[in-house]
Amino acid sequence: MSTIAQEIPQKDAGKVRYVDVILPLAVPGTFTYALPLDGPPVVAGMRVAVPFGRGRKLYGALVLRVHEQHPGYAKVRPILSALDNMPVVLSEQMALWERMASHYLCSLGEVMIAALPAQLSLSSETRLVAGPNVEVDVPGEGRSVILLQALEDRHVITMQEAGELLGLKDPMPVVKRLMERGALLLEEQLKEDWKPRMAKFIRLAPEHTSETALHKWFDQLEKAPKQLHVLMRFVELSRCLSDAPKEVEQAKLVHASNSTTSVVKQLITKGLFQPYEREVGKPSDESLQQPLPELSPAQQTALDSIESGFTAHDILLLRGVTSSGKTEIYTTLIERAILRKEQVLYLLPEIALTTQIIGRLRRRFGERIAVFHSRMAQHERTALWMRCLDKNAPEIVVGARSAIFLPYRDLGLIVVDEEHDTSYKQHDPAPRYNARDMAVLLGGLHGAKVLLGSATPSMESQHNASIGKYGRVDLLERYGAVQLPVITRVDLRDSAKRKLMRGHFSSTLIDSIQQALAKREQVIIFQNRRGYVPVWQCETCNWVPECDQCDVSLTYHKQQHQLRCHYCGRHYPPPTHCGHCNSPRLRMLGFGTEKIEEELGELFPEAKIVRMDQDTTRGKHALERILTAFGQGAVDILVGTQMVTKGLDFDHVSTVGIINADKLLHFPDLRSHERAFQLMAQVAGRSGRRKQAGAVIIQAQDVLHPVLELVVNNDVEGMYTRELEHRRAHGYPPFTRLVQLTLKHRYEEKVATTAGILATALQAGLGDRVLGPEIPIISRIRDKHLRRLLIKLDRNRHNSEKQFVSDTIDRVFGEPEHRPVQLVTDVDPM
Ligand code: ADP
Ligand code: ZN
Ligand code: ZN
């Protein structure tokens, strides 16, 4: 009965075939199982149910290879079942996973977890709930009723419990079939609104689609004017006699013809109309919807350079100043690629994936586009994944970083917009990948062209272009005679001395905002810190309230009247007395977006002000609502964190204010200057409209800082040269590759000892290119003490050096005394 017991002894090797699988677990390497001789056909890319570990837990593992080589150890367990009858992961994807695991020093299992939608990644611990179609009958699975009945009594059952209830060692195939039929859901799916959005559509019955047939109907319906009217609207809406007929939703037809559903039904009964249902968002056969806009001469030149550039280089960097119309260029390239029958991946930072850009693309490409991002429900992600494997795979995928994981068959072009954006980097959990870099790799695996675009390209990409690894195209003219903004610096120290400050606003900035508002123009205010007042401080002894669990000062949030830890999310009531000397005299230091919003309200009581930061954009549609309101002119002033700097295209912004540039410049990080430049140049780029240059006011203590000078001149080249010298002098990327190791433990001595031993072991091979162990600025998070090592790898030997790092880690952490210390490995940290 139990297949698990039939382990296959080595002497029988040769008759049996084996599979190397990846388990959805953070364990290194792959694992070998045997395929039963009489079992179902299994090929690479399919999932199989396998037992693993002492508890013989079940996992839906992915088959990486099928072979005939006995792995050499005594007992090889067989797989329990095949979960797929065709591959759900393609060979290029597996190649990408392997490259990712080795590049980012993580396990294949971790990559698999990140890559596969949750529904495709099953284990004993998978938690199941009843789905919308509990009534469903699974043919040949009488026992599934037991499962569905059990779910009526209890809310959740695990895969393991499902197995016990069914009396099956391997319940995965049954569970999988029930999931596919909507009778079971993952527990996490329940929180999402699980409704495939179905809509009713109307089409002409095939025998009535010709012009002559329709004329007959027109005559026939003369005595039924209501029906005639509906038919005429249908012909208009569907353009059914043209080359590119469109689908018509029943509700839209009723609305457009000012009619009722019953009139439509009469035409269905007469046999003219045929109703059908389909999921909205699925592709239809509409062809390209809109003619391409005329490119400006500068855009045309850039486009030509890109197309010729692609004959010499697979990867191109497009530097296009803000509002130069990069999107138009991408769109033209995308259209040409799909005409060549190639698939296109268009990557955007998550925040830029709003209705604005998606709307623009949809108007252009209709349903040929599929969108993929992290706010999507699991079932939508799974559905898109399966569709990508299908014949009707989307021709264009627009997505945030995780879209690199989808299955692509004919990828011909990858566009990475805002390639410098830090949100391409996944910080937690592993794999800590940069989707821009993985897009380059993915392009290589598919032989696709890759276009990296930005107004403020990253140091790495500029360097790759300057050494000829990438081609480069520049577009330095804004579209439609829009001028670059005029940038003014305001000396905060001087303004304070001359009593020109009101709160955090200089008179220059106030005047500029006032002028904009008087002309009904919009304003953006950038303050890179959320909350009200970051810290409270004792006036007597300088005590500052800190989080109990983390070594960070707490931020005051006025709306909730709370102190919050931005690292662990814990909150506390505001203190009434100093925690050290008990003095009641506390003052506030520093300021965040909430405080700036309040000051703006006092300065401009008539203006409609909206704040955009992590706190105001938590809800599913909150961000969307803010951007729409601002785009429609319902908001006068938008104040926010770096969210306001990203890829938004608004027509009526004439003033941008940066409250305090010093905080950006003096952040202790190797990239702080690069990032400060990018943020300021990007936010400045939001200002300015046709025929009138916008104004940008940068307030700073240190107005003569060289980076501010470069921002004022929008000097991307100058910034690159300056920064490159600094990087060269200190041996930082792009001259080296960095690996950052963070060690964590509850006890400080423990983490310090392990970090010291690891550092010494690494220094034995890499010498002074191993920095630390250092106590990070924030030295304790969630009640764990931290130590950090930074390793600079030789660019030319980074693979072998990385192997050394990896082996050393394994050796040190192989010792039982170091095992309890947690290690976070971050390759190419940002
Ligand atoms: P970028 O991404 O380079 O900042 P966008 O692509 O958002 O710039 O273009 C800025 C604005 O100019 C948009 O409103 C866009 O619709 C418009 N635009 C750019 N190029 C053209 C064109 N060739 N024809 C019509 N409008 C254009
Ligand atoms: Zn905390
Ligand atoms: Zn005190």
Side-chain angles (χ1 to χ4, degrees):
M1 162 91 208
S2 150
T3 40
I4 293 179
Q6 311 166 359
E7 281 158 342
I8 293 152
Q10 192 160 10
K11 63 175 167 48
D12 289 343
K15 292 178 198 159
V16 195
R17 291 193 310 146
Y18 301 92
V19 287
D20 294 343
V21 303
I22 310 171
L23 293 169
L25 280 176
V27 288
T30 57
F31 299 85
T32 305
Y33 290 84
L35 288 178
L37 289 168
D38 55 349
V42 169
V43 298
M46 285 177 13
R47 290 169 306 151
V48 291
V50 298
F52 179 75
R54 284 239 187 87
R56 299 223 156 162
K57 292 224 166 87
L58 276 188
Y59 292 92
L62 188 87
V63 176
L64 198 57
R65 271 179 289 276
V66 181
H67 56 86
E68 291 184 353
Q69 204 185 343
H70 192 283
Y73 44 82
K75 285 186 171 176
V76 186
R77 294 193 217 170
I79 69 158
L80 300 178
S81 60
L83 296 176
D84 300 304
N85 44 30
M86 60 159 217
V88 293
V89 176
L90 307 176
S91 60
E92 291 87 354
Q93 289 175 284
M94 288 187 269
L96 181 71
W97 295 8
E98 290 189 299
R99 302 276 290 269
M100 264 178 108
S102 81
H103 184 84
Y104 291 107
L105 295 177
C106 66
S107 69
L108 271 169
E110 286 170 310
V111 181
M112 173 175 171
I113 295 168
L116 278 186
Q119 237 173 309
L120 297 180
S121 185
L122 305 173
S123 76
S124 296
E125 262 104 79
T126 300
R127 293 166 65 81
L128 303 159
V129 295
N133 299 331
V134 263
E135 307 301 329
V136 80
D137 251 350
V138 178
E141 293 295 352
R143 280 186 290 192
S144 64
V145 176
I146 307 170
L147 214 56
L148 301 179
Q149 272 167 358
L151 275 169
E152 282 178 16
D153 300 332
R154 40 177 153 162
H155 185 55
V156 188
I157 55 172
T158 62
M159 183 75 77
Q160 181 152 6
E161 289 163 343
E164 287 156 12
L165 281 165
L166 295 170
L168 288 177
K169 278 269 153 57
D170 174 17
M172 277 197 187
V174 180
V175 167
K176 185 202 155 224
R177 279 195 288 277
L178 287 168
M179 272 171 54
E180 281 164 359
R181 287 169 169 78
L184 285 179
L185 288 182
L186 299 183
E187 187 186 23
E188 52 198 287
Q189 281 178 271
L190 196 66
K191 297 182 212 117
E192 305 161 345
D193 35 344
W194 198 89
K195 272 184 247 104
R197 282 158 299 146
M198 301 297 285
K200 281 204 178 105
F201 289 80
I202 296 293
R203 64 182 161 225
L204 294 176
E207 62 273 28
H208 303 304
T209 51
S210 70
E211 207 171 327
T212 21
L214 277 176
H215 276 293
K216 270 189 205 150
W217 279 98
F218 286 140
D219 295 342
Q220 222 174 309
L221 289 174
E222 232 158 53
K223 274 164 263 146
K226 282 186 187 164
Q227 293 173 30
L228 181 62
H229 181 62
V230 168
L231 175 59
M232 279 160 60
R233 292 302 284 183
F234 177 85
V235 173
E236 250 172 73
L237 288 174
S238 66
R239 294 192 264 135
C240 60
L241 296 172
S242 72
D243 292 337
K246 297 175 83 164
E247 288 190 291
V248 179
E249 228 183 289
Q250 178 172 314
K252 288 216 181 102
L253 177 61
V254 169
H255 181 78
S257 54
N258 214 349
S259 183
T260 58
T261 320
S262 66
V263 179
V264 175
K265 289 227 172 92
Q266 285 159 5
L267 289 169
I268 294 172
T269 320
K270 286 189 175 165
L272 171 62
F273 282 174
Q274 273 183 357
Y276 63 100
E277 269 194 41
R278 73 171 179 85
E279 202 173 318
V280 181
K282 282 254 171 118
S284 68
D285 47 10
E286 282 173 41
S287 52
L288 299 186
Q289 308 239 305
Q290 279 184 2
L292 288 165
E294 293 269 325
L295 294 184
S296 69
Q299 290 173 338
Q300 190 58 53
T301 309
L303 181 71
D304 294 343
S305 310
I306 291 169
E307 296 213 304
S308 63
F310 273 145
T311 56
H313 292 275
D314 289 332
I315 308 153
L316 289 182
L317 173 63
L318 168 65
R319 183 210 160 191
V321 293
T322 49
S323 286
S324 54
K326 291 185 287 297
T327 320
E328 299 304 333
I329 292 178
Y330 302 149
T331 325
T332 311
L333 287 165
I334 290 171
E335 171 152 90
R336 292 184 183 174
I338 59 179
L339 286 175
R340 290 192 300 267
K341 304 264 179 253
E342 295 168 357
Q343 246 182 333
V344 179
L345 169 60
Y346 182 5
L347 285 178
L348 282 158
E350 178 88 34
I351 187 156
L353 273 174
T354 55
T355 28
Q356 203 183 26
I357 180 81
I358 294 169
R360 244 164 105 179
L361 294 166
R362 279 233 195 278
R363 273 196 297 284
R364 209 27 194 295
F365 298 112
E367 304 280 357
R368 313 180 105 187
I369 278 196
V371 181
F372 193 76
H373 55 71
S374 71
R375 280 164 296 152
M376 267 165 71
Q378 282 295 342
H379 77 90
E380 292 175 305
R381 291 194 229 186
T382 313
L384 181 56
W385 184 289
M386 298 315 282
R387 203 186 124 195
C388 282
L389 294 168
D390 226 41
K391 274 198 207 69
N392 82 59
E395 289 147 282
I396 309 163
V397 173
V398 184
R401 61 172 184 245
S402 52
I404 59 159
F405 289 121
L406 283 169
Y408 298 100
R409 287 191 193 280
D410 314 296
L411 206 51
L413 173 69
I414 305 178
V415 175
V416 184
D417 195 10
E418 313 288 352
E419 65 87 28
H420 66 280
D421 201 295
T422 48
S423 61
Y424 281 125
K425 170 83 178 177
Q426 162 143 321
H427 291 286
D428 251 324
R432 297 180 174 79
Y433 65 99
N434 186 318
R436 178 214 39 218
D437 300 337
M438 291 304 100
V440 166
L441 225 164
L442 185 67
L445 290 169
H446 282 271
K449 303 292 179 194
V450 182
L451 181 64
L452 309 175
S454 173
T456 52
S458 63
M459 291 295 298
E460 278 80 358
S461 297
Q462 291 190 73
H463 187 63
N464 282 329
S466 81
I467 60 174
K469 206 167 141 194
Y470 299 173
R472 169 159 177 166
V473 175
D474 282 15
L475 174 57
L476 301 178
E477 195 176 284
R478 284 183 145 191
Y479 176 76
V482 178
Q483 294 167 43
L484 280 167
V486 175
I487 304 179
T488 311
R489 279 166 285 180
V490 174
D491 184 337
L492 285 172
R493 271 181 285 207
D494 177 64
S495 291
K497 228 181 288 164
R498 296 200 285 138
K499 307 235 178 310
L500 296 176
M501 297 297 294
R502 286 179 67 189
H504 294 93
F505 290 80
S506 62
S507 58
T508 315
L509 181 52
I510 295 173
D511 290 348
S512 186
I513 297 174
Q514 211 126 43
Q515 282 167 27
L517 296 178
K519 287 188 270 178
R520 311 267 331 127
E521 294 164 352
Q522 289 175 305
V523 176
I524 292 179
I525 301 292
F526 170 44
Q527 166 56 29
N528 206 22
R529 180 90 211 226
R530 65 197 163 103
Y532 184 73
V533 176
V535 296
W536 292 39
Q537 191 182 46
C538 170
E539 283 190 12
T540 322
C541 74
N542 291 336
W543 171 84
V544 167
E546 289 188 350
C547 178
D548 294 343
Q549 302 282 314
C550 314
D551 167 36
V552 259
S553 43
L554 297 167
T555 304
Y556 179 52
H557 286 246
K558 190 175 185 198
Q559 225 165 355
Q560 296 85 3
H561 192 55
Q562 268 176 356
L563 293 177
R564 283 218 207 130
C565 172
H566 284 181
Y567 279 81
C568 72
R570 225 166 261 262
H571 33 78
Y572 304 81
T576 51
H577 291 80
C578 170
H580 183 66
C581 73
N582 214 30
S583 154
R585 292 169 58 95
L586 302 172
R587 67 175 165 216
M588 298 183 180
L589 276 185
F591 51 95
T593 43
E594 212 178 325
K595 171 76 175 158
I596 296 299
E597 181 191 18
E598 184 185 275
E599 289 186 8
L600 278 167
E602 286 160 12
L603 290 167
F604 307 101
E606 308 289 303
K608 178 96 178 71
I609 301 160
V610 164
R611 173 160 57 96
M612 183 160 99
D613 57 26
Q614 266 187 58
D615 298 320
T616 63
T617 53
R618 251 184 256 283
K620 200 172 174 194
H621 303 292
L623 174 66
E624 208 68 62
R625 269 200 295 274
I626 294 176
L627 292 175
T628 308
F630 194 69
Q632 291 170 346
V635 172
D636 301 311
I637 307 177
L638 182 67
V639 46
T641 53
Q642 51 175 306
M643 284 185 172
V644 302
T645 68
K646 299 195 175 180
L648 309 168
D649 173 29
F650 296 115
D651 263 348
H652 302 287
V653 178
S654 71
T655 293
V656 164
I658 299 174
I659 294 291
N660 188 324
D662 305 286
K663 280 265 155 31
L664 294 170
L665 290 165
H666 300 308
F667 196 77
D669 179 86
L670 99 99
R671 282 176 221 274
S672 63
H673 286 180
E674 178 186 4
R675 202 161 300 149
F677 177 85
Q678 286 164 348
L679 285 171
M680 287 191 269
Q682 289 282 347
V683 74
R686 306 301 131 216
S687 178
R689 299 152 321 120
R690 307 254 150 114
K691 297 190 184 64
Q692 186 203 337
V696 178
I697 315 286
I698 303 179
Q699 304 189 140
Q701 308 270 349
D702 188 4
V703 271
L704 296 178
H705 197 290
V707 171
L708 290 185
E709 184 73 26
L710 294 161
V711 172
V712 168
N713 298 320
N714 195 24
D715 188 356
V716 169
E717 293 298 331
M719 183 66 209
Y720 171 66
T721 316
R722 177 178 190 276
E723 191 62 17
L724 199 70
E725 269 328 298
H726 170 80
R727 302 276 179 95
R728 195 196 309 274
H730 294 87
Y732 279 127
F735 299 101
T736 54
R737 223 176 228 303
L738 297 181
V739 179
Q740 178 181 279
L741 303 176
T742 306
L743 294 88
K744 305 185 186 180
H745 195 269
R746 268 185 71 103
Y747 299 115
E748 186 160 15
E749 294 126 77
K750 180 107 195 143
V751 71
T753 311
T754 303
I757 289 171
L758 181 61
T760 311
L762 289 166
Q763 275 151 358
L766 300 169
D768 61 2
R769 285 186 288 129
V770 181
L771 310 181
E774 222 166 280
I775 306 177
I777 306 173
I778 292 154
S779 67
R780 191 169 62 116
I781 294 178
R782 291 176 205 267
D783 210 16
K784 284 193 177 141
H785 291 272
L786 312 188
R787 286 296 183 271
R788 191 159 280 164
L789 302 180
L790 191 65
I791 307 165
K792 297 172 177 173
L793 302 181
D794 189 325
R795 272 217 97 87
N796 301 318
R797 282 183 301 156
H798 67 93
N799 280 329
S800 60
E801 294 194 345
K802 219 183 287 160
Q803 192 56 51
F804 169 75
V805 170
S806 167
D807 294 345
T808 309
I809 290 171
D810 289 348
R811 187 158 49 79
V812 170
F813 282 85
E815 304 284 329
E817 54 182 302
H818 299 305
R819 227 169 274 157
V821 175
Q822 200 184 331
L823 175 71
V824 174
T825 306
D826 192 352
V827 178
D828 304 332
M830 276 186 100

